[in-house]
Amino acid sequence: MKILKNIFFGATLAGVILILASSNVSAQKPLDENGHWIAYTITENSLKVCYMFSRPIKEDGNYKRRSDAYAMVTRRQGSSTSEDVSVTSGYPYKEGKSVEINIDGKKHIFGLLQDEYAWSDDPKRDPVIIKGMAKGNKLKVRGTSKKGTFSLDTYSLKGFTATHKAITKACP
């Protein structure tokens, strides 16, 4: 399992680095906006990358300061892992402490952590999580920082389904 995590993390990190560093990357283009979710596309080496994100509608916790929190779904053309769900709580996560995702009472664990970003440690779970988000009303993300503080962010899933359809169509 550790090898799978390293491979998945390496592939995801490499993809992000390539997107940011490549001279073959176009500027992001607005794709769609529905409810609380916004979608954009970029082109990297002639392949589209589509992503959608939302900001929390409610932020709780015992932190003093942090950057912006987001929930995101990324879809890449030509990738064996076509979609992934990621979250950031706006601070570096505590090592060994998973991030808990809760969609209308259904829990998911994001154990793949890198600085302030978290992903499911099993890419096969992403479609299940996305399906839950499409059917759900609220997404809650609970994370613990390196300092031991916690945050509980609540996202509205209003507009998720329509925005997800837009990225699915744009990046088949």
Side-chain angles (χ1 to χ4, degrees):
M1 185 64 151
K2 189 171 186 170
I3 292 171
L4 179 62
K5 284 182 188 178
N6 289 339
I7 290 170
F8 180 69
F9 172 70
T12 301
L13 184 59
V16 171
I17 290 169
L18 285 173
I19 288 170
L20 295 176
S22 175
S23 61
N24 294 324
V25 175
S26 67
Q28 70 179 13
K29 296 177 185 173
L31 176 63
D32 203 6
E33 183 173 350
N34 298 286
H36 293 273
W37 291 84
I38 301 169
Y40 290 92
T41 64
I42 60 172
T43 302
E44 175 196 33
N45 297 324
S46 302
L47 296 174
K48 271 191 188 175
V49 176
C50 300
Y51 63 95
M52 57 186 279
F53 70 93
S54 184
R55 296 213 0 109
I57 58 170
K58 183 178 178 187
E59 299 177 329
D60 289 318
N62 64 354
Y63 55 87
K64 289 185 181 179
R65 228 179 60 204
R66 65 178 179 155
S67 298
D68 292 334
Y70 295 97
M72 184 172 357
V73 176
T74 305
R75 187 173 175 89
R76 295 170 182 84
Q77 279 185 325
S79 172
S80 60
T81 307
S82 65
E83 291 183 304
D84 64 67
V85 180
S86 61
V87 296
T88 178
S89 295
Y91 52 73
Y93 291 114
K94 185 173 187 172
E95 280 189 46
K97 183 78 173 160
S98 297
V99 175
E100 184 180 293
I101 308 300
N102 187 313
I103 304 166
D104 294 339
K106 174 78 173 155
K107 290 184 185 179
H108 301 277
I109 301 299
F110 280 24
L112 186 57
L113 309 175
Q114 175 63 35
D115 297 323
E116 59 186 59
Y117 298 95
W119 298 265
S120 171
D121 44 2
D122 181 358
K124 292 177 185 171
R125 289 187 200 149
D126 285 323
V128 173
I129 295 166
I130 291 168
K131 187 175 181 180
M133 292 170 78
K135 292 181 177 182
N137 292 307
K138 296 263 190 279
L139 166 72
K140 293 186 179 185
V141 177
R142 189 182 198 293
T144 303
S145 74
K146 282 185 176 181
K147 296 178 181 180
T149 60
F150 79 93
S151 61
L152 179 61
D153 296 317
T154 303
Y155 296 83
S156 170
L157 293 172
K158 181 180 179 185
F160 180 90
T161 302
T163 308
H164 186 254
K165 285 179 182 177
I167 70 167
T168 301
K169 183 177 178 182
C171 288

